[in-house]
mmCIF file of all heavy atoms in Angstrom:
data_model
loop_
_atom_site.group_PDB
_atom_site.id
_atom_site.type_symbol
_atom_site.label_atom_id
_atom_site.label_comp_id
_atom_site.label_asym_id
_atom_site.label_seq_id
_atom_site.Cartn_x
_atom_site.Cartn_y
_atom_site.Cartn_z
ATOM 1 N N LEU A 583 127.414 194.893 310.516
ATOM 2 C CA LEU A 583 127.728 194.345 309.196
ATOM 3 C C LEU A 583 128.132 195.459 308.243
ATOM 4 O O LEU A 583 129.118 195.328 307.494
ATOM 5 C CB LEU A 583 126.530 193.587 308.643
ATOM 6 C CG LEU A 583 126.710 192.976 307.238
ATOM 7 C CD1 LEU A 583 127.836 191.940 307.251
ATOM 8 C CD2 LEU A 583 125.399 192.348 306.766
ATOM 9 N N PHE A 584 127.388 196.566 308.281
ATOM 10 C CA PHE A 584 127.719 197.705 307.425
ATOM 11 C C PHE A 584 129.110 198.238 307.747
ATOM 12 O O PHE A 584 129.903 198.526 306.844
ATOM 13 C CB PHE A 584 126.683 198.821 307.596
ATOM 14 C CG PHE A 584 127.090 200.114 306.946
ATOM 15 C CD1 PHE A 584 127.032 200.269 305.570
ATOM 16 C CD2 PHE A 584 127.554 201.180 307.718
ATOM 17 C CE1 PHE A 584 127.421 201.458 304.964
ATOM 18 C CE2 PHE A 584 127.940 202.367 307.130
ATOM 19 C CZ PHE A 584 127.877 202.504 305.750
ATOM 20 N N LEU A 585 129.418 198.382 309.035
ATOM 21 C CA LEU A 585 130.730 198.879 309.440
ATOM 22 C C LEU A 585 131.841 197.948 308.960
ATOM 23 O O LEU A 585 132.867 198.398 308.443
ATOM 24 C CB LEU A 585 130.793 199.028 310.963
ATOM 25 C CG LEU A 585 129.923 200.132 311.576
ATOM 26 C CD1 LEU A 585 129.990 200.070 313.099
ATOM 27 C CD2 LEU A 585 130.361 201.510 311.082
ATOM 28 N N ALA A 586 131.630 196.649 309.125
ATOM 29 C CA ALA A 586 132.646 195.683 308.724
ATOM 30 C C ALA A 586 132.877 195.720 307.208
ATOM 31 O O ALA A 586 134.026 195.739 306.742
ATOM 32 C CB ALA A 586 132.238 194.278 309.166
ATOM 33 N N VAL A 587 131.784 195.740 306.440
ATOM 34 C CA VAL A 587 131.906 195.731 304.979
ATOM 35 C C VAL A 587 132.520 197.033 304.480
ATOM 36 O O VAL A 587 133.421 197.027 303.630
ATOM 37 C CB VAL A 587 130.528 195.501 304.325
ATOM 38 C CG1 VAL A 587 130.605 195.715 302.816
ATOM 39 C CG2 VAL A 587 130.023 194.099 304.638
ATOM 40 N N SER A 588 132.056 198.173 304.993
ATOM 41 C CA SER A 588 132.550 199.463 304.518
ATOM 42 C C SER A 588 134.022 199.654 304.850
ATOM 43 O O SER A 588 134.811 200.097 303.997
ATOM 44 C CB SER A 588 131.719 200.603 305.110
ATOM 45 O OG SER A 588 131.766 200.596 306.529
ATOM 46 N N ILE A 589 134.413 199.322 306.075
ATOM 47 C CA ILE A 589 135.824 199.453 306.456
ATOM 48 C C ILE A 589 136.682 198.485 305.650
ATOM 49 O O ILE A 589 137.789 198.829 305.202
ATOM 50 C CB ILE A 589 136.004 199.221 307.968
ATOM 51 C CG1 ILE A 589 135.314 200.342 308.757
ATOM 52 C CG2 ILE A 589 137.483 199.153 308.340
ATOM 53 C CD1 ILE A 589 135.277 200.121 310.264
ATOM 54 N N GLY A 590 136.160 197.280 305.415
ATOM 55 C CA GLY A 590 136.884 196.301 304.604
ATOM 56 C C GLY A 590 137.112 196.803 303.186
ATOM 57 O O GLY A 590 138.209 196.657 302.630
ATOM 58 N N MET A 591 136.086 197.410 302.582
ATOM 59 C CA MET A 591 136.222 197.946 301.227
ATOM 60 C C MET A 591 137.263 199.054 301.179
ATOM 61 O O MET A 591 138.084 199.110 300.252
ATOM 62 C CB MET A 591 134.868 198.468 300.732
ATOM 63 C CG MET A 591 133.852 197.405 300.421
ATOM 64 S SD MET A 591 132.256 198.119 299.918
ATOM 65 C CE MET A 591 132.706 198.943 298.388
ATOM 66 N N VAL A 592 137.237 199.935 302.159
ATOM 67 C CA VAL A 592 138.197 201.037 302.184
ATOM 68 C C VAL A 592 139.622 200.498 302.305
ATOM 69 O O VAL A 592 140.544 200.990 301.636
ATOM 70 C CB VAL A 592 137.886 202.004 303.340
ATOM 71 C CG1 VAL A 592 138.992 203.054 303.485
ATOM 72 C CG2 VAL A 592 136.545 202.706 303.110
ATOM 73 N N ILE A 593 139.809 199.480 303.125
ATOM 74 C CA ILE A 593 141.141 198.889 303.272
ATOM 75 C C ILE A 593 141.598 198.254 301.957
ATOM 76 O O ILE A 593 142.754 198.433 301.526
ATOM 77 C CB ILE A 593 141.145 197.847 304.409
ATOM 78 C CG1 ILE A 593 140.950 198.541 305.766
ATOM 79 C CG2 ILE A 593 142.447 197.054 304.410
ATOM 80 C CD1 ILE A 593 140.776 197.595 306.934
ATOM 81 N N VAL A 594 140.710 197.521 301.295
ATOM 82 C CA VAL A 594 141.057 196.882 300.024
ATOM 83 C C VAL A 594 141.413 197.932 298.974
ATOM 84 O O VAL A 594 142.429 197.814 298.264
ATOM 85 C CB VAL A 594 139.906 195.992 299.528
ATOM 86 C CG1 VAL A 594 140.162 195.531 298.091
ATOM 87 C CG2 VAL A 594 139.733 194.782 300.436
ATOM 88 N N TYR A 595 140.603 198.995 298.890
ATOM 89 C CA TYR A 595 140.840 200.024 297.884
ATOM 90 C C TYR A 595 142.046 200.892 298.209
ATOM 91 O O TYR A 595 142.463 201.711 297.384
ATOM 92 C CB TYR A 595 139.602 200.893 297.721
ATOM 93 C CG TYR A 595 138.426 200.190 297.072
ATOM 94 C CD1 TYR A 595 137.146 200.748 297.091
ATOM 95 C CD2 TYR A 595 138.583 198.959 296.441
ATOM 96 C CE1 TYR A 595 136.063 200.103 296.510
ATOM 97 C CE2 TYR A 595 137.513 198.315 295.857
ATOM 98 C CZ TYR A 595 136.255 198.893 295.895
ATOM 99 O OH TYR A 595 135.193 198.247 295.315
ATOM 100 N N ARG A 596 142.609 200.706 299.380
ATOM 101 C CA ARG A 596 143.873 201.375 299.692
ATOM 102 C C ARG A 596 144.979 200.851 298.792
ATOM 103 O O ARG A 596 145.945 201.557 298.490
ATOM 104 C CB ARG A 596 144.224 201.130 301.169
ATOM 105 C CG ARG A 596 145.633 201.548 301.590
ATOM 106 C CD ARG A 596 145.788 203.053 301.555
ATOM 107 N NE ARG A 596 147.108 203.458 302.019
ATOM 108 C CZ ARG A 596 148.216 203.454 301.269
ATOM 109 N NH1 ARG A 596 148.146 203.039 300.013
ATOM 110 N NH2 ARG A 596 149.363 203.852 301.750
ATOM 111 N N PHE A 597 144.817 199.604 298.318
ATOM 112 C CA PHE A 597 145.847 198.964 297.513
ATOM 113 C C PHE A 597 145.371 198.579 296.113
ATOM 114 O O PHE A 597 146.197 198.432 295.207
ATOM 115 C CB PHE A 597 146.341 197.699 298.232
ATOM 116 C CG PHE A 597 146.782 197.952 299.649
ATOM 117 C CD1 PHE A 597 145.938 197.656 300.715
ATOM 118 C CD2 PHE A 597 148.021 198.501 299.921
ATOM 119 C CE1 PHE A 597 146.341 197.884 302.023
ATOM 120 C CE2 PHE A 597 148.425 198.740 301.223
ATOM 121 C CZ PHE A 597 147.587 198.441 302.281
#
Side-chain angles (χ1 to χ4, degrees):
L583 179 62
F584 169 75
L585 291 175
V587 171
S588 59
I589 294 173
M591 289 177 65
V592 173
I593 292 173
V594 170
Y595 291 167
R596 169 68 177 82
F597 307 100

